[in-house]
Amino acid sequence: MKFAWIDLRTVPQDQLESVVDAAIHTRTHGVLCDDEAVLKALPPTITGVTTTPVTDEKQLYGLDAGTADRVVAGWVDVHDEPSLRLACAAAVTLPFTVVRFADPTKIPLEIVLAAADRSEGKLITVCADLEEAATVLDVLERGSDGILLAPSTAGDVFALARLLEAGTEPLNLTTLTVEGIEHHGLGDRVCVDTCSHFAEDEGILVGSYSTGFILCCSETHPLPYMPTRPFRVNAGALHSYVLGPDNRTNYLSELRAGRTTLAVNAEGRTRPVLIGRAKLESRPLLTITARSPEGVEVSLTVQDDWHVRVLGPGGRVHNVTELRPGDELLGHLATDQRHVGLPIGEFCREQ
């Protein structure tokens, strides 16, 4: 789990009390401070942090690790190749290593992350602002274990907490049983092209009704006459709901380059993915009707073509033109109706 430390050493004196209160309120993981009185006044929910500059590998084996309620972290300033090697050694050896990079690129951080990939220690990266913190948390898909930020105001602390909470939670998927397939004429369908590769058992959740979604497969599996496009999901008709982060939905017609949607795998694990473009074209359509064990009807209209696929239990791939009543698909049920994409507890009938 990602965490944040707040560096109080440069916080303006007139902001110090409010910043500490914000750290307590948001349950910030740790507070770095040279003032022993401030550290002693912290509640037990926050760890006091002090640092020791590390300039030689010999120091790594005699560094005090702290106590149950206090952390002593090694601090390495990386500005050249020898200091980069030292940071790698510290990240492998120490329980906690704070690294400050002079290089504005993230290549040195990538090297330290790779070196410490299987170590038990925690790497904390110094960040100049919230924008850099967001980048640091995702470097090499793993990101730094923690970030160290010197806030100017309490608002920075609250914004940092929101950033750390922005991860996506797993979803409960259910098994849907196909009841029927209906073929239609032309309609508009949307392909969602993302800036990420999907795994073979991964796709996005799409449905005609706000209370039920089917897991649409990406084009990661071989196709005749054309190369795979592992960044794409041929998602469905333009009216369809697609489930995104924070339990928000969008119509497929609303998706745009630069927005975010939610990748979901066959076990319900989720991750946000950036949309590179949404491509709308007229194609023949078909509608899949399926039902959950609780009796909830789920509907999805997609392009009527063999290469459009949906996922079943265990990540089994189904070509939509070969679906038959009784086939099992993976889906997700939502208990609330939707208003402008937000869940709302009101009466609404979709049919």
Side-chain angles (χ1 to χ4, degrees), residues 96-139:
F96 295 93
T97 303
V98 178
V99 181
R100 180 168 58 189
F101 296 95
D103 192 324
T105 74
K106 296 298 175 275
I107 294 174
L109 174 57
E110 292 178 2
I111 293 171
V112 178
L113 286 171
D117 185 50
R118 300 186 183 277
S119 68
E120 296 182 0
K122 301 298 183 183
L123 178 69
I124 301 92
T125 302
V126 178
C127 295
D129 50 37
L130 291 165
E131 183 177 359
E132 183 180 15
T135 300
V136 162
L137 290 171
D138 285 333
V139 170

Side-chain angles (χ1 to χ4, degrees), residues 16 42 52 59 61 64 87 111 123 171 173 209-210 223-224 226 283 323 349:
L16 185 60
L42 293 173
T52 298
Q59 293 176 258
Y61 303 98
D64 179 14
I111 293 171
L123 178 69
L171 291 172
L173 298 184
Y209 305 151
S210 63
L223 296 166
M226 59 196 313
R283 296 289 188 271
L323 286 173
R349 176 179 296 159

Side-chain angles (χ1 to χ4, degrees), residues 115-305:
D117 185 50
R118 300 186 183 277
S119 68
E120 296 182 0
K122 301 298 183 183
L123 178 69
I124 301 92
T125 302
V126 178
C127 295
D129 50 37
L130 291 165
E131 183 177 359
E132 183 180 15
T135 300
V136 162
L137 290 171
D138 285 333
V139 170
L140 287 187
E141 298 186 11
R142 165 193 163 179
S144 182
D145 298 302
I147 56 177
L148 176 64
L149 183 73
S152 298
T153 66
D156 291 341
V157 181
F158 287 109
L160 180 59
R162 290 193 295 270
L163 176 64
L164 291 171
E165 291 171 356
T168 55
E169 297 295 324
L171 291 172
N172 291 321
L173 298 184
T174 189
T175 299
L176 305 171
T177 302
V178 174
E179 292 191 335
I181 302 292
E182 184 178 357
H183 298 267
H184 310 294
L186 282 178
D188 293 336
R189 68 95 173 98
V190 178
C191 281
V192 181
D193 291 349
T194 72
C195 299
S196 302
H197 280 76
F198 286 91
E200 291 187 351
D201 68 340
E202 203 174 30
I204 61 178
L205 286 164
V206 187
S208 291
Y209 305 151
S210 63
T211 50
F213 307 85
I214 290 175
L215 188 54
C216 295
C217 183
S218 63
E219 295 184 10
T220 55
H221 301 273
L223 296 166
Y225 317 118
M226 59 196 313
T228 59
R229 296 182 175 93
F231 55 83
R232 170 175 293 176
V233 179
N234 192 325
L238 80 168
H239 75 280
S240 308
Y241 285 112
V242 56
L243 188 64
D246 302 319
N247 196 25
R248 292 287 302 266
T249 59
N250 287 100
Y251 295 117
L252 285 176
S253 63
E254 296 174 335
L255 299 185
R256 298 286 186 276
R259 295 190 178 182
T260 303
T261 192
L262 198 65
V264 184
N265 78 355
E267 296 180 354
R269 291 196 298 271
T270 67
R271 62 186 176 98
V273 290
L274 182 66
I275 296 170
R277 68 171 176 171
K279 188 161 71 92
L280 186 150
E281 296 168 314
S282 293
R283 296 289 188 271
L285 301 177
L286 65 79
T287 295
I288 305 164
T289 303
R291 195 170 297 274
S292 76
E294 300 87 353
V296 177
E297 182 180 295
V298 179
S299 175
L300 173 65
T301 299
V302 296
Q303 181 179 344
D304 190 345
D305 194 288

